[in-house]
Each structure stands twice: as structure tokens, then as C-alpha cells.
Amino acid sequence: MSSLRNAIPRPAHKERSQPEARKRFGILEKHKDYIIRANVYHKKQETLKILRQKAAFKNPDEFNFKMINSKTVDGRHRPKDEVNKYSAEELMIMKTQDIGYVFQKWQSEKNKIDKLTASLQCTGDQSSRRHVYYAEDREEARELEVQGRSKSDISTVEIPKDIKKKMDRSYRDLEGRKSRAKDLEKLYTDMSMQKELQKKGRKRKLRDDELLNPNGKAVYKWRADRKR
């Protein structure tokens, strides 16, 4: 009987849609939508209940480290300005570590520039291998010179497009690394100067008329201390 009952077609029960008069309120809420909305509402109510209990049982005389590290401004807690958070010795150690990192990156860029320059053979007209030829007279020497120039002239050699594209990309990378190394060198020099200025000892900045070759950079002179 059950198989026969399933064989008979039955009408599909569709969910009721929003009536035409209530179309302005959007889609009609189903029972599963109500369950989700009710769970979210009850969860928020439980959170508010816990917060009210914590506020009711809070001890107003309880110590908190924020009491000494912050202040109240217009009813809100603001952290105090940490101007002297580190001592002079700690600042010196941190600056030394920064200088070491910058110097390491500068050396790394210089090594990469040397490798790129060697791979691209950016040495002007000089080739990587030099051969010495001996001529018997001036005419033979002139012929050898012309042959050497024609061999070293790269513009006359046909270069495939993919290799030429890689070479252009490598040259652009080389120029970018040179610029980066120059910036790192300047940064390393400035940081080293700032580190030296933080050390003890009387010093003064020299004027332009006191310099032999003024180049716009600051030059300092330390007073000679007597060594015991």
C-alpha cells in the first residue's frame, strides 16, 4: 500500500508569500529565519546580563596599572605620552642595531650589483677575456685593431628578442639596485653621524668658512680630551 500511495501524485505544498498589501515590508519571514533572529537576540541579552553583573560587583578601590599609565580626559581614558620610555643607553643599543641592519642591506645590494655587472659584462669596451697579439709592422697592427673592434662591437651581432628583453630587464634591475644602494649608503652615513653625536664629549658644528671644500654637509669637530 505504501508503494501505491507514493505512486499517486500529490500536490506540492508551497510556503505562503508576502501578501500584496504588505509588499513594502519585504520578504515574509519564515520560521527558520525567526529562529536565527531569536538566537542572536538572546545571545546579546546574555552578554548584557553578564556585563551588568560585572559592573554591579566591581570594587571601586581595586588597583589597576592603567590608573598610573593613563589619565581621564573628557570622561575617557587616554594613555600618557611616553616621552622618556627608554634610557640613553637603551636608545644607543637600538640605534646600533638599526645601523647594523642598514649596513647589512647595503652590503647585500653591493654584492648583487657586482654579480649583475659581471653577468652583463658592463665593463665598457673591455671584454672578459683579453688576448695579446704581436704584429710585425704597423699595417698588421692596424688590421688587428680593426678586427678587435669589429668583434667587440655588440651592435653588429644579431640578438634574439627574448634574450634582448631579458637583458633590458636586467639593466633596469641594475639601475634600480644602484639607486637603492646609494640611498642606503646615505642613510648609513646619516645614522652613523647621529650615533656619534649622541656620545659624550664637547663638540661644535664647523662653519662654511672653516672648511676647505664645503659641500653643504654638516661637519662637526670634537674637543680633544686628555687621556689619563
Short mmCIF file of all heavy atoms in Angstrom, two decimals, residues 172-222:
data_model
loop_
_atom_site.label_atom_id
_atom_site.label_comp_id
_atom_site.label_asym_id
_atom_site.label_seq_id
_atom_site.Cartn_x
_atom_site.Cartn_y
_atom_site.Cartn_z
N ARG A 172 67.56 47.37 -16.21
CA ARG A 172 66.67 48.17 -15.37
C ARG A 172 66.81 47.77 -13.90
O ARG A 172 66.82 48.63 -13.01
CB ARG A 172 65.22 48.01 -15.83
CG ARG A 172 64.90 48.72 -17.13
CD ARG A 172 63.41 48.84 -17.33
NE ARG A 172 62.75 47.55 -17.38
CZ ARG A 172 62.53 46.86 -18.50
NH1 ARG A 172 62.95 47.34 -19.66
NH2 ARG A 172 61.92 45.69 -18.46
N ASP A 173 66.91 46.47 -13.66
CA ASP A 173 67.12 45.99 -12.28
C ASP A 173 68.45 46.50 -11.73
O ASP A 173 68.55 46.89 -10.56
CB ASP A 173 67.09 44.47 -12.28
CG ASP A 173 67.12 43.90 -10.86
OD1 ASP A 173 66.82 44.66 -9.92
OD2 ASP A 173 67.44 42.71 -10.70
N LEU A 174 69.48 46.54 -12.57
CA LEU A 174 70.79 47.03 -12.13
C LEU A 174 70.73 48.51 -11.76
O LEU A 174 71.28 48.92 -10.72
CB LEU A 174 71.82 46.80 -13.24
CG LEU A 174 73.25 47.25 -12.95
CD1 LEU A 174 73.82 46.50 -11.76
CD2 LEU A 174 74.13 47.05 -14.18
N GLU A 175 70.04 49.31 -12.57
CA GLU A 175 69.92 50.74 -12.26
C GLU A 175 69.14 50.96 -10.97
O GLU A 175 69.48 51.81 -10.15
CB GLU A 175 69.24 51.47 -13.43
CG GLU A 175 70.07 51.52 -14.69
CD GLU A 175 71.37 52.27 -14.49
OE1 GLU A 175 71.39 53.24 -13.73
OE2 GLU A 175 72.38 51.87 -15.11
N GLY A 176 68.07 50.16 -10.77
CA GLY A 176 67.29 50.29 -9.54
C GLY A 176 68.11 49.91 -8.31
O GLY A 176 68.02 50.57 -7.27
N ARG A 177 68.91 48.86 -8.43
CA ARG A 177 69.75 48.45 -7.29
C ARG A 177 70.84 49.47 -7.01
O ARG A 177 71.20 49.70 -5.84
CB ARG A 177 70.36 47.08 -7.57
CG ARG A 177 69.33 45.95 -7.55
CD ARG A 177 69.99 44.59 -7.57
NE ARG A 177 68.99 43.53 -7.56
CZ ARG A 177 68.36 43.10 -6.49
NH1 ARG A 177 68.63 43.63 -5.32
NH2 ARG A 177 67.47 42.12 -6.57
N LYS A 178 71.39 50.10 -8.03
CA LYS A 178 72.38 51.14 -7.81
C LYS A 178 71.78 52.32 -7.07
O LYS A 178 72.39 52.87 -6.14
CB LYS A 178 72.96 51.59 -9.15
CG LYS A 178 73.96 50.62 -9.77
CD LYS A 178 74.54 51.18 -11.05
CE LYS A 178 75.58 50.22 -11.63
NZ LYS A 178 76.15 50.74 -12.90
N SER A 179 70.57 52.71 -7.47
CA SER A 179 69.89 53.81 -6.77
C SER A 179 69.58 53.44 -5.33
O SER A 179 69.75 54.25 -4.40
CB SER A 179 68.61 54.18 -7.52
OG SER A 179 67.89 55.16 -6.84
N ARG A 180 69.15 52.18 -5.11
CA ARG A 180 68.84 51.73 -3.75
C ARG A 180 70.10 51.68 -2.88
O ARG A 180 70.08 52.06 -1.71
CB ARG A 180 68.19 50.35 -3.81
CG ARG A 180 67.38 49.97 -2.58
CD ARG A 180 66.68 48.66 -2.75
NE ARG A 180 65.84 48.63 -3.91
CZ ARG A 180 65.94 47.76 -4.91
NH1 ARG A 180 66.87 46.83 -4.87
NH2 ARG A 180 65.12 47.80 -5.93
N ALA A 181 71.22 51.23 -3.47
CA ALA A 181 72.47 51.18 -2.72
C ALA A 181 72.95 52.59 -2.36
O ALA A 181 73.47 52.81 -1.26
CB ALA A 181 73.53 50.45 -3.53
N LYS A 182 72.73 53.53 -3.26
CA LYS A 182 73.12 54.91 -2.97
C LYS A 182 72.31 55.48 -1.82
O LYS A 182 72.84 56.16 -0.92
CB LYS A 182 72.95 55.77 -4.23
CG LYS A 182 73.49 57.17 -4.12
CD LYS A 182 73.35 57.90 -5.44
CE LYS A 182 73.90 59.32 -5.34
NZ LYS A 182 73.74 60.05 -6.63
N ASP A 183 70.99 55.21 -1.81
CA ASP A 183 70.14 55.68 -0.72
C ASP A 183 70.53 55.02 0.61
O ASP A 183 70.55 55.69 1.66
CB ASP A 183 68.67 55.39 -1.03
CG ASP A 183 68.18 56.16 -2.25
OD1 ASP A 183 68.82 57.18 -2.59
OD2 ASP A 183 67.17 55.74 -2.85
N LEU A 184 70.84 53.72 0.57
CA LEU A 184 71.23 53.03 1.80
C LEU A 184 72.57 53.56 2.32
O LEU A 184 72.76 53.68 3.54
CB LEU A 184 71.33 51.53 1.54
CG LEU A 184 70.01 50.77 1.40
CD1 LEU A 184 70.25 49.36 0.93
CD2 LEU A 184 69.24 50.77 2.72
N GLU A 185 73.48 53.89 1.42
CA GLU A 185 74.77 54.44 1.85
C GLU A 185 74.57 55.79 2.53
O GLU A 185 75.17 56.08 3.57
CB GLU A 185 75.69 54.59 0.64
CG GLU A 185 77.07 55.11 0.99
CD GLU A 185 77.95 55.26 -0.23
OE1 GLU A 185 77.45 55.04 -1.36
OE2 GLU A 185 79.13 55.62 -0.06
N LYS A 186 73.70 56.63 1.96
CA LYS A 186 73.41 57.94 2.57
C LYS A 186 72.75 57.77 3.93
O LYS A 186 73.08 58.46 4.90
CB LYS A 186 72.52 58.76 1.64
CG LYS A 186 72.23 60.18 2.12
CD LYS A 186 71.40 60.92 1.10
CE LYS A 186 71.14 62.36 1.57
NZ LYS A 186 70.43 62.42 2.85
N LEU A 187 71.79 56.82 4.02
CA LEU A 187 71.11 56.57 5.29
C LEU A 187 72.10 56.06 6.34
O LEU A 187 72.05 56.46 7.51
CB LEU A 187 69.99 55.56 5.07
CG LEU A 187 69.17 55.16 6.30
CD1 LEU A 187 68.46 56.38 6.89
CD2 LEU A 187 68.15 54.10 5.94
N TYR A 188 73.01 55.16 5.94
CA TYR A 188 74.01 54.63 6.88
C TYR A 188 74.93 55.74 7.38
O TYR A 188 75.26 55.80 8.57
CB TYR A 188 74.81 53.54 6.18
CG TYR A 188 75.97 53.02 6.99
CD1 TYR A 188 75.77 52.21 8.10
CD2 TYR A 188 77.28 53.36 6.66
CE1 TYR A 188 76.83 51.74 8.85
CE2 TYR A 188 78.35 52.89 7.40
CZ TYR A 188 78.12 52.08 8.49
OH TYR A 188 79.17 51.62 9.23
N THR A 189 75.32 56.65 6.48
CA THR A 189 76.18 57.77 6.89
C THR A 189 75.47 58.68 7.88
O THR A 189 76.04 59.10 8.90
CB THR A 189 76.62 58.56 5.65
OG1 THR A 189 77.22 57.67 4.71
CG2 THR A 189 77.63 59.63 6.02
N ASP A 190 74.20 59.00 7.59
CA ASP A 190 73.44 59.88 8.49
C ASP A 190 73.23 59.24 9.85
O ASP A 190 73.36 59.90 10.90
CB ASP A 190 72.10 60.23 7.85
CG ASP A 190 72.26 61.05 6.58
OD1 ASP A 190 73.35 61.64 6.40
OD2 ASP A 190 71.31 61.11 5.77
N MET A 191 72.89 57.94 9.87
CA MET A 191 72.65 57.26 11.14
C MET A 191 73.94 57.15 11.95
O MET A 191 73.92 57.28 13.18
CB MET A 191 72.05 55.88 10.89
CG MET A 191 70.65 55.91 10.32
SD MET A 191 69.98 54.27 9.98
CE MET A 191 69.73 53.67 11.65
N SER A 192 75.07 56.92 11.27
CA SER A 192 76.35 56.86 11.98
C SER A 192 76.69 58.21 12.59
O SER A 192 77.18 58.29 13.73
CB SER A 192 77.46 56.43 11.02
OG SER A 192 77.18 55.15 10.48
N MET A 193 76.39 59.30 11.85
CA MET A 193 76.64 60.63 12.39
C MET A 193 75.76 60.91 13.60
O MET A 193 76.23 61.46 14.62
CB MET A 193 76.39 61.67 11.29
CG MET A 193 76.53 63.11 11.75
SD MET A 193 78.19 63.51 12.33
CE MET A 193 79.07 63.53 10.77
N GLN A 194 74.47 60.53 13.54
CA GLN A 194 73.58 60.74 14.68
C GLN A 194 74.04 59.94 15.89
O GLN A 194 73.94 60.40 17.03
CB GLN A 194 72.15 60.35 14.30
CG GLN A 194 71.52 61.25 13.26
CD GLN A 194 71.35 62.67 13.75
OE1 GLN A 194 71.11 62.90 14.95
NE2 GLN A 194 71.47 63.63 12.85
N LYS A 195 74.55 58.73 15.64
CA LYS A 195 75.05 57.91 16.75
C LYS A 195 76.27 58.56 17.40
O LYS A 195 76.41 58.58 18.63
CB LYS A 195 75.39 56.52 16.25
CG LYS A 195 75.92 55.59 17.34
CD LYS A 195 76.39 54.28 16.77
CE LYS A 195 77.05 53.43 17.83
NZ LYS A 195 77.60 52.18 17.28
N GLU A 196 77.18 59.09 16.59
CA GLU A 196 78.36 59.75 17.13
C GLU A 196 77.99 61.01 17.90
O GLU A 196 78.63 61.35 18.91
CB GLU A 196 79.34 60.08 16.00
CG GLU A 196 79.96 58.87 15.33
CD GLU A 196 80.81 58.05 16.28
OE1 GLU A 196 81.43 58.66 17.18
OE2 GLU A 196 80.86 56.83 16.12
N LEU A 197 76.95 61.73 17.44
CA LEU A 197 76.54 62.95 18.13
C LEU A 197 75.92 62.66 19.49
O LEU A 197 75.91 63.53 20.35
CB LEU A 197 75.56 63.74 17.26
CG LEU A 197 76.13 64.37 15.98
CD1 LEU A 197 75.03 65.02 15.16
CD2 LEU A 197 77.20 65.40 16.32
N GLN A 198 75.38 61.46 19.67
CA GLN A 198 74.78 61.10 20.95
C GLN A 198 75.83 60.76 22.01
O GLN A 198 75.50 60.71 23.19
CB GLN A 198 73.83 59.91 20.78
CG GLN A 198 72.50 60.28 20.13
CD GLN A 198 71.56 59.11 20.08
OE1 GLN A 198 71.95 57.98 20.36
NE2 GLN A 198 70.33 59.35 19.70
N LYS A 199 77.06 60.53 21.60
CA LYS A 199 78.10 60.18 22.56
C LYS A 199 78.52 61.40 23.37
O LYS A 199 78.26 62.55 22.99
CB LYS A 199 79.30 59.59 21.82
CG LYS A 199 79.02 58.23 21.17
CD LYS A 199 80.25 57.68 20.51
CE LYS A 199 79.99 56.33 19.88
NZ LYS A 199 81.19 55.78 19.21
N LYS A 200 79.21 61.13 24.45
CA LYS A 200 79.65 62.20 25.33
C LYS A 200 80.82 62.95 24.70
O LYS A 200 81.54 62.43 23.85
CB LYS A 200 80.06 61.63 26.69
CG LYS A 200 78.91 60.98 27.45
CD LYS A 200 79.39 60.44 28.78
CE LYS A 200 78.23 59.79 29.54
NZ LYS A 200 78.67 59.24 30.84
N GLY A 201 81.03 64.18 25.18
CA GLY A 201 82.13 64.98 24.67
C GLY A 201 81.63 66.29 24.07
O GLY A 201 80.54 66.34 23.49
N ARG A 202 82.43 67.34 24.24
CA ARG A 202 82.07 68.65 23.70
C ARG A 202 82.38 68.69 22.21
O ARG A 202 83.44 68.26 21.76
CB ARG A 202 82.83 69.74 24.45
CG ARG A 202 82.46 69.82 25.93
CD ARG A 202 83.21 70.94 26.62
NE ARG A 202 82.90 72.23 26.03
CZ ARG A 202 83.47 73.38 26.43
NH1 ARG A 202 84.36 73.37 27.41
NH2 ARG A 202 83.13 74.51 25.86
N LYS A 203 81.45 69.22 21.45
CA LYS A 203 81.59 69.28 20.00
C LYS A 203 80.90 70.53 19.49
O LYS A 203 80.05 71.10 20.16
CB LYS A 203 81.00 68.04 19.35
CG LYS A 203 79.58 67.74 19.82
CD LYS A 203 79.13 66.37 19.42
CE LYS A 203 77.83 65.98 20.11
NZ LYS A 203 77.99 65.77 21.55
N ARG A 204 81.26 70.93 18.29
CA ARG A 204 80.61 72.08 17.67
C ARG A 204 80.59 71.87 16.16
O ARG A 204 81.43 71.16 15.59
CB ARG A 204 81.33 73.38 18.01
CG ARG A 204 82.69 73.55 17.39
CD ARG A 204 83.33 74.85 17.80
NE ARG A 204 84.63 75.06 17.15
CZ ARG A 204 84.76 75.64 15.97
NH1 ARG A 204 83.69 76.08 15.31
NH2 ARG A 204 85.97 75.80 15.43
N LYS A 205 79.62 72.51 15.53
CA LYS A 205 79.46 72.41 14.08
C LYS A 205 80.32 73.47 13.40
O LYS A 205 80.26 74.65 13.74
CB LYS A 205 77.99 72.59 13.71
CG LYS A 205 77.69 72.41 12.24
CD LYS A 205 76.21 72.56 11.98
CE LYS A 205 75.89 72.40 10.50
NZ LYS A 205 74.44 72.58 10.24
N LEU A 206 81.12 73.05 12.43
CA LEU A 206 82.01 73.98 11.74
C LEU A 206 81.23 74.81 10.73
O LEU A 206 80.29 74.34 10.10
CB LEU A 206 83.12 73.20 11.03
CG LEU A 206 84.06 72.38 11.92
CD1 LEU A 206 85.11 71.69 11.06
CD2 LEU A 206 84.74 73.27 12.95
N ARG A 207 81.66 76.07 10.59
CA ARG A 207 81.05 76.97 9.61
C ARG A 207 81.64 76.70 8.23
O ARG A 207 82.66 76.03 8.08
CB ARG A 207 81.28 78.42 10.01
CG ARG A 207 80.68 78.78 11.37
CD ARG A 207 80.79 80.29 11.60
NE ARG A 207 82.18 80.72 11.54
CZ ARG A 207 83.00 80.74 12.60
NH1 ARG A 207 82.57 80.32 13.79
NH2 ARG A 207 84.26 81.15 12.47
N ASP A 208 80.98 77.26 7.21
CA ASP A 208 81.45 77.03 5.84
C ASP A 208 82.81 77.67 5.59
O ASP A 208 83.61 77.14 4.82
CB ASP A 208 80.43 77.59 4.84
CG ASP A 208 79.13 76.79 4.85
OD1 ASP A 208 79.16 75.62 5.30
OD2 ASP A 208 78.10 77.32 4.40
N ASP A 209 83.09 78.82 6.24
CA ASP A 209 84.38 79.47 6.02
C ASP A 209 85.53 78.71 6.71
O ASP A 209 86.71 78.97 6.42
CB ASP A 209 84.35 80.92 6.52
CG ASP A 209 83.90 81.00 7.97
OD1 ASP A 209 83.53 79.96 8.54
OD2 ASP A 209 83.90 82.12 8.52
N GLU A 210 85.20 77.76 7.61
CA GLU A 210 86.23 76.97 8.27
C GLU A 210 86.58 75.69 7.52
O GLU A 210 87.54 75.00 7.87
CB GLU A 210 85.79 76.60 9.69
CG GLU A 210 85.62 77.79 10.61
CD GLU A 210 85.12 77.40 11.98
OE1 GLU A 210 84.48 76.33 12.10
OE2 GLU A 210 85.36 78.16 12.94
N LEU A 211 85.80 75.36 6.49
CA LEU A 211 86.02 74.14 5.73
C LEU A 211 86.84 74.43 4.49
O LEU A 211 86.73 75.50 3.87
CB LEU A 211 84.67 73.52 5.32
CG LEU A 211 83.72 73.14 6.47
CD1 LEU A 211 82.40 72.67 5.91
CD2 LEU A 211 84.34 72.06 7.34
N LEU A 212 87.67 73.44 4.11
CA LEU A 212 88.47 73.60 2.90
C LEU A 212 87.63 73.42 1.64
O LEU A 212 87.72 74.22 0.70
CB LEU A 212 89.62 72.57 2.91
CG LEU A 212 90.65 72.73 4.03
CD1 LEU A 212 91.66 71.60 3.97
CD2 LEU A 212 91.35 74.08 3.92
N ASN A 213 86.80 72.39 1.63
CA ASN A 213 85.93 72.12 0.48
C ASN A 213 84.49 71.95 0.99
O ASN A 213 84.03 70.83 1.22
CB ASN A 213 86.38 70.85 -0.25
CG ASN A 213 87.76 71.00 -0.85
OD1 ASN A 213 88.08 72.04 -1.41
ND2 ASN A 213 88.58 69.95 -0.73
N PRO A 214 83.76 73.04 1.20
CA PRO A 214 82.37 72.90 1.69
C PRO A 214 81.47 72.29 0.62
O PRO A 214 81.48 72.72 -0.53
CB PRO A 214 81.97 74.35 2.00
CG PRO A 214 82.86 75.19 1.17
CD PRO A 214 84.16 74.45 1.03
N ASN A 215 80.72 71.26 1.03
CA ASN A 215 79.80 70.60 0.10
C ASN A 215 78.37 70.60 0.60
O ASN A 215 77.53 69.85 0.09
CB ASN A 215 80.26 69.15 -0.14
CG ASN A 215 80.44 68.38 1.16
OD1 ASN A 215 80.19 68.91 2.24
ND2 ASN A 215 80.87 67.14 1.06
N GLY A 216 78.06 71.42 1.60
CA GLY A 216 76.69 71.50 2.10
C GLY A 216 76.39 70.53 3.22
O GLY A 216 75.33 70.64 3.84
N LYS A 217 77.27 69.57 3.48
CA LYS A 217 77.04 68.60 4.55
C LYS A 217 77.58 69.15 5.88
O LYS A 217 78.56 69.89 5.90
CB LYS A 217 77.72 67.27 4.23
CG LYS A 217 77.14 66.58 3.01
CD LYS A 217 77.80 65.24 2.78
CE LYS A 217 77.21 64.54 1.57
NZ LYS A 217 77.87 63.23 1.31
N ALA A 218 76.91 68.75 6.96
CA ALA A 218 77.32 69.21 8.29
C ALA A 218 78.60 68.49 8.72
O ALA A 218 78.71 67.28 8.60
CB ALA A 218 76.20 68.96 9.29
N VAL A 219 79.55 69.26 9.23
CA VAL A 219 80.82 68.73 9.72
C VAL A 219 80.99 69.19 11.16
O VAL A 219 80.85 70.38 11.47
CB VAL A 219 82.01 69.21 8.85
CG1 VAL A 219 83.32 68.64 9.40
CG2 VAL A 219 81.81 68.80 7.40
N TYR A 220 81.30 68.24 12.06
CA TYR A 220 81.45 68.53 13.48
C TYR A 220 82.90 68.30 13.89
O TYR A 220 83.60 67.46 13.32
CB TYR A 220 80.52 67.65 14.32
CG TYR A 220 79.05 67.93 14.09
CD1 TYR A 220 78.36 67.31 13.06
CD2 TYR A 220 78.36 68.83 14.89
CE1 TYR A 220 77.02 67.56 12.83
CE2 TYR A 220 77.02 69.09 14.68
CZ TYR A 220 76.35 68.45 13.66
OH TYR A 220 75.03 68.71 13.44
N LYS A 221 83.29 69.04 14.92
CA LYS A 221 84.63 68.90 15.46
C LYS A 221 84.52 68.69 16.96
O LYS A 221 83.87 69.47 17.66
CB LYS A 221 85.47 70.15 15.17
CG LYS A 221 86.91 70.05 15.66
CD LYS A 221 87.70 71.30 15.29
CE LYS A 221 89.14 71.17 15.77
NZ LYS A 221 89.92 72.39 15.45
N TRP A 222 85.15 67.61 17.45
CA TRP A 222 85.13 67.29 18.87
C TRP A 222 86.34 67.91 19.57
O TRP A 222 87.44 68.00 18.97
CB TRP A 222 85.14 65.78 19.08
CG TRP A 222 83.80 65.16 19.08
CD1 TRP A 222 83.06 64.77 20.15
CD2 TRP A 222 83.00 64.84 17.93
NE1 TRP A 222 81.86 64.24 19.76
CE2 TRP A 222 81.79 64.27 18.39
CE3 TRP A 222 83.17 65.00 16.56
CZ2 TRP A 222 80.78 63.86 17.54
CZ3 TRP A 222 82.17 64.60 15.71
CH2 TRP A 222 80.99 64.03 16.20
#
